[in-house]
Amino acid sequence: MTQTSFLSIDPVTRRVSLDARDPAFYTDPNKTYAALHASCPSFYWEEQKQWFFTGYDHVNALLRDRRFGRQILHIATREELGMPEPAAHTRHFDKAEEHSLLEIEPPEHTRLRTLVNRAFVSRHVEKMTPEITELTNRLIDDFEKDGETELLSTFADIIPVTMIARMIGIPEEMGPQLLKWSHDYVGMYMFKRSRADEEAADRSAKEFADYVRQVIAERRAEPRDDLLSHMIHTEHKGQFLTEDELISTTIVLLNAGHEATVHQIGNSVRVILDSGIDPATLFTDEKTTERTVEETLRICAPVHIFQRWCLEPCDIDGVSFKRGDKVSLILAAANLDPQKFPEPLEFKPSRDEGANLSFGAGIHFCIGAPLARLELNIVLPLLFQRLPGLKIAETPRVKDVYHFHGLERLDLTW
């Protein structure tokens, strides 16, 4: 039996009590994940009333297992499953999510993903290298002479939202507003969200959708060379995206296209500086840079959990599930499985033990992974090369936004 102020693990029953809002947990969840791996990698989380999986092989397999899906109401009714009706105060949020790539299954998922996938393949994304490099250098130019900066507001917040806005065809000056909508929106995915969080997410979802609807109307009238125009005017097997599908897809691409990458830039800089390894040795060439980026993604992933509905009865790791049960997969914990990654809590950019699961796997593998990886592979080397002697000025605070993982602020000096 493991017992702390915020965590209780019974390895016999595989029952775990864990307060996800306790700073001792969300500030450094990796320690808790290590304890879970040691006691019961598959466990029932009492507060969440769900089974969770942390083992690399289980998480990797379940992400690809077609007996599980992101939606359930395409094969069963709310009445059959004993699900309550949707809440009235989140109706705008629910509407915006109705056709989200993250929330739907084939054949709808296949059709929507086919229409946007081409824009995100590596060879297309790599054309953005000069733009990302120019923006990164310009931002560093703004604060280099100061000898200090708060990296999230002056750097990490700006690059991903600017690039995804350019790609989709949203004016760059909308960046701050997109960040506000996005922060409110993802509040719906936090553990123990409050009524106020839900109302803020719903309000921002309505404003976001109204704005996207207006831009769609402009692109219908005057198409441009951007992703939104492409989605509006391209058909798949004789079908075009509906207005609601266009709105849902645009919102999810804007949110997913920057929220996690903002967190990851901050997380990566922190873990590199905390490691004591000379940054100059981590970015000597393309290969070492890629390995460094992948190791930061492994050890401090920005998104920790994805959930799945059980679509048909099955047994996983000795646990029986019925149709309509929900299970959760802790991607960040799978990245720390000692069976897959020896000494998993150690930051080792020289690792060669296989892929991390920070972008998921299967049909819902993150469509923006090539863009996020490109941004990290450009941004991190430039930052450390331009600012030798980079140091953390004061211990960063981690945001209370689990199951996301990111910093409140990152104060640096050089």
Side-chain angles (χ1 to χ4, degrees):
M1 188 87 170
T2 301
Q3 189 90 40
T4 70
S5 61
F6 63 91
L7 173 68
S8 171
I9 301 175
D10 185 339
V12 178
T13 62
R14 297 198 281 181
R15 288 303 200 259
V16 169
S17 175
L18 171 59
D19 180 3
R21 299 300 293 271
D22 191 312
F25 168 63
Y26 69 73
T27 296
D28 186 8
N30 287 5
K31 286 180 183 170
T32 298
Y33 296 154
L36 290 165
H37 279 301
S39 299
C40 48
S42 305
F43 64 94
Y44 185 83
W45 190 335
E46 300 282 5
E47 286 82 357
Q48 309 306 327
K49 298 179 173 54
Q50 246 177 67
W51 279 91
F52 283 70
F53 294 88
T54 68
Y56 184 94
D57 288 345
H58 279 128
V59 171
N60 191 29
L62 284 164
L63 286 166
R64 305 165 192 274
D65 193 329
R66 301 307 299 138
R67 295 173 299 176
F68 292 83
R70 285 293 295 160
Q71 64 178 170
I72 185 76
L73 294 177
H74 61 310
I75 61 165
T77 65
R78 288 180 175 274
E79 193 175 48
E80 280 177 75
L81 300 169
M83 283 173 66
E85 288 301 310
H89 70 280
T90 58
R91 65 187 182 280
H92 297 110
F93 176 86
D94 292 339
K95 181 70 174 170
E97 285 287 274
E98 192 175 357
H99 303 286
S100 164
L101 277 168
L102 288 173
E103 303 296 336
I104 57 175
E105 290 295 305
E108 289 79 10
H109 178 271
T110 309
R111 181 169 64 93
L112 263 67
R113 183 142 182 158
T114 300
L115 280 168
V116 299
N117 201 49
R118 193 177 58 157
F120 286 92
V121 295
S122 296
R123 66 180 178 278
H124 186 89
V125 164
E126 279 163 11
K127 294 175 185 172
M128 300 172 76
T129 295
E131 288 181 69
I132 299 169
T133 303
E134 186 275 330
L135 177 59
T136 302
N137 278 317
R138 179 153 48 89
L139 292 174
I140 296 172
D141 287 343
D142 289 342
F143 56 70
E144 183 182 20
K145 62 186 179 302
D146 301 332
E148 63 180 15
T149 196
E150 192 291 294
L151 194 74
L152 302 189
S153 58
T154 61
F155 190 77
D157 275 348
I158 300 168
I159 295 168
V161 74
T162 302
M163 298 318 300
I164 194 66
R166 282 183 191 175
M167 194 174 188
I168 291 173
I170 302 292
E172 282 178 44
E173 57 269 24
M174 283 298 292
Q177 181 62 67
L178 294 174
L179 282 170
K180 184 190 178 305
W181 284 334
S182 179
H183 291 332
D184 287 345
Y185 201 91
V186 299
M188 285 293 284
Y189 296 104
M190 294 190 315
F191 280 21
K192 287 194 176 175
R193 66 180 188 246
S194 66
R195 172 76 181 230
D197 292 328
E198 293 175 347
E199 288 173 350
D202 197 66
R203 192 164 50 247
S204 285
K206 182 183 186 305
E207 291 173 7
F208 210 160
D210 288 346
Y211 172 72
V212 171
R213 188 175 290 109
Q214 171 195 324
V215 181
I216 289 169
E218 292 169 6
R219 292 298 182 279
R220 283 196 197 283
E222 292 183 37
R224 297 185 190 173
D225 184 19
D226 57 37
L227 180 54
L228 186 54
S229 297
H230 165 76
M231 290 193 297
I232 291 167
H233 296 281
T234 303
E235 61 179 292
H236 176 66
K237 296 184 178 177
Q239 285 185 298
F240 291 91
L241 294 183
T242 66
E243 182 100 336
D244 287 344
E245 287 173 337
L246 285 165
I247 290 169
S248 285
T249 304
T250 303
I251 287 176
V252 76
L253 291 175
L254 281 165
N255 284 343
H258 75 269
E259 188 82 27
T261 312
V262 170
H263 287 335
Q264 193 57 32
I265 292 171
N267 293 348
S268 299
V269 172
R270 182 192 187 178
V271 80
I272 288 167
L273 291 175
D274 281 348
S275 74
I277 299 172
D278 180 359
T281 67
L282 300 178
F283 305 107
T284 55
D285 55 30
E286 198 172 299
K287 187 173 181 182
T288 58
T289 296
E290 281 180 10
R291 284 195 164 182
T292 298
V293 166
E294 292 307 306
E295 178 66 348
T296 64
L297 283 163
R298 183 195 70 83
I299 203 167
C300 54
V303 181
H304 280 213
I305 291 172
F306 264 94
Q307 297 184 322
R308 292 287 188 272
W309 291 99
C310 180
L311 305 181
E312 60 184 78
C314 60
D315 285 3
I316 308 291
D317 198 19
V319 183
S320 294
F321 295 101
K322 63 182 187 302
R323 186 170 77 155
D325 285 342
K326 232 178 183 181
V327 302
S328 285
L329 318 173
I330 310 186
L331 311 182
N335 289 342
L336 303 174
D337 186 343
Q339 305 293 321
K340 176 73 174 175
F341 303 102
E343 298 180 293
L345 299 188
E346 294 294 315
F347 176 67
K348 292 184 177 181
S350 58
R351 284 184 192 277
D352 193 17
E353 295 133 3
N356 64 72
L357 294 176
S358 296
F359 291 112
I363 67 163
H364 287 288
F365 179 80
C366 176
I367 198 169
L371 177 59
R373 282 188 161 116
L374 180 67
E375 288 171 341
L376 291 165
N377 276 273
I378 292 171
V379 162
L380 294 176
L382 273 174
L383 189 69
F384 283 102
Q385 285 158 14
R386 295 269 321 260
L387 304 173
L390 207 54
K391 293 184 183 66
I392 295 176
E394 58 181 86
T395 304
R397 285 198 316 276
V398 177
K399 280 186 175 183
D400 177 12
V401 290
Y402 190 80
H403 62 93
F404 301 96
H405 185 69
L407 305 176
E408 292 273 5
R409 51 187 294 130
L410 182 57
D411 293 283
L412 301 175
T413 59
W414 53 91

